Amino acid sequence: MPTIKQMIDNLSNNTCGTSTVRGLSLQIIDEMNLLIPSVLVNIEDLNVKLESSGVNPYLQPAAKEALRRAITRRRATLHITSAYRTVAQQYLLRRWFEMGKCNIGAAARPGFSNHEDGLALDTPDFDAWRTALEAEKWDWLGDTNHKDPFHFTFVGGSVRDDIGDIGVKAFQQLWNKNKPDDQISVDNVFGPQTAKRLDQSPSEGFNIARLLKLVSPPMQGGDVRKVQESLVNVELLSIEDVNGIYDEKTANAIATFQDKRGLSIDRVVGPPG
């Protein structure tokens, strides 16, 4: 499994897209929601179309509700090319920018990008959506000062201003959970120690192998999310149920899956062989 440093150096598959670190990014998002439940929420239940696998369909709750109102107002599908960006994705872009790769005009230091706030989205249909989005407190950044016509930022109330820090902390905790012999400080600060461990991190995420079962408090993580996504694919869960938490609804869906395939019904999953 390639590391982020290998992705940076080799531009795997000749692409500059951040989908190369999607696995790790989803684990970071899950860790953020462990730190603060529902600090980021999935927006795939809205009428949106994600334009690539590198788009993380997450926003802060207030931003999502404002987006819901804008979509209801316009009654159309919103195409999204970027939404929440994890510290891993921002690190990738920043390093490529520093190395003069991928024709990146600018990339903020990890922890400081507007997209790391969970309050930003990019859409290629900005002209068509500008009126509806601005009516719901989504500021357009295509003016002469910002010159980013694809970009909208939510400026309404009831939002957090520390999501970037939480994202850094989430990665630091994720690293420590998976690297007990190489612990780092959990200080919310993106510095040399965090950059070094991001370089060493597997782009597809850490290999977490465990039995998933219903316990209290419930098990949480990227492995749970993958199971839930598989259950969505076989229509035993809805996309709104994908939360990375092995809850009663997930356990019941597993039981249904086991029953339909003539398996012993124990509501337990894995680990994969």
Side-chain angles (χ1 to χ4, degrees):
M1 184 183 301
T3 64
I4 288 186
K5 187 176 190 312
Q6 290 171 325
M7 289 292 181
I8 292 170
D9 293 340
N10 301 328
L11 290 184
S12 179
N13 299 323
N14 297 315
T15 177
C16 294
T18 58
S19 61
T20 52
V21 293
R22 174 173 170 76
L24 180 61
S25 289
L26 290 176
Q27 289 183 346
I28 291 171
I29 292 169
D30 287 335
E31 193 69 25
M32 292 174 71
N33 281 323
L34 279 175
L35 286 167
I36 304 173
S38 299
V39 70
L40 293 174
V41 291
N42 195 298
I43 62 171
E44 289 178 285
D45 56 313
L46 305 182
N47 187 11
V48 298
K49 184 178 188 307
L50 309 180
E51 292 299 299
S52 80
S53 60
V55 180
N56 294 319
Y58 290 89
L59 292 171
Q60 289 196 43
K64 175 183 177 177
E65 291 311 307
L67 187 62
R68 184 194 304 277
R69 294 191 298 270
I71 291 171
T72 299
R73 181 184 294 269
R74 186 158 185 266
R75 300 180 182 179
T77 300
L78 175 63
H79 294 249
I80 298 176
T81 54
S82 184
Y84 175 69
R85 190 180 295 157
T86 67
V87 63
Q89 291 173 309
Q90 190 62 33
Y91 179 67
L92 200 65
L93 293 173
R94 176 70 177 187
R95 291 293 293 119
W96 283 337
F97 166 68
E98 291 172 341
M99 297 167 70
K101 293 185 176 182
C102 303
N103 296 315
I104 298 173
R109 188 162 62 91
F112 292 89
S113 168
N114 181 273
H115 276 282
E116 290 178 87
D117 293 335
L119 300 173
L121 64 83
D122 291 353
T123 176
D125 305 325
F126 54 89
D127 275 337
W129 278 95
R130 184 177 173 185
T131 298
L133 286 169
E134 288 186 328
E136 299 299 341
K137 305 295 185 182
W138 283 88
D139 268 8
W140 181 57
L141 268 64
D143 56 34
T144 54
N145 291 327
H146 298 93
K147 299 180 181 178
D148 189 356
F150 306 103
H151 187 102
F152 290 85
T153 296
F154 179 64
V155 295
S158 302
V159 300
R160 301 183 65 106
D161 61 3
D162 59 351
I163 298 295
D165 291 341
I166 294 169
V168 173
K169 181 178 181 179
F171 168 74
Q172 292 169 337
Q173 289 200 168
L174 183 65
W175 174 271
N176 285 347
K177 286 181 178 180
N178 290 278
K179 298 291 183 178
D181 297 328
D182 184 23
Q183 299 287 283
I184 60 176
S185 298
V186 179
D187 56 10
N188 302 16
V189 177
F190 186 88
Q193 67 155 2
T194 302
K196 178 181 178 181
R197 274 48 174 217
L198 269 171
D199 270 339
Q200 298 171 4
S201 294
S203 61
E204 297 174 17
F206 294 97
N207 184 21
I208 303 172
R210 56 177 177 165
L211 280 175
L212 301 179
K213 55 186 177 181
L214 199 60
V215 295
S216 181
M219 303 176 78
Q220 303 187 40
D223 50 348
V224 178
R225 178 182 297 281
K226 288 181 180 179
V227 168
Q228 291 173 327
E229 289 174 344
S230 296
L231 291 169
V232 170
N233 291 337
V234 294
E235 299 182 345
L236 293 177
L237 283 180
S238 64
I239 191 64
E240 295 90 341
D241 299 322
V242 179
N243 56 12
I245 302 172
Y246 201 86
D247 51 21
E248 189 76 30
K249 183 173 285 188
T250 302
N252 288 340
I254 287 296
T256 301
F257 178 87
Q258 292 170 331
D259 183 47
K260 286 185 175 182
R261 283 157 180 76
L263 304 173
S264 175
I265 300 174
D266 58 8
R267 304 202 296 178
V268 174
V269 181

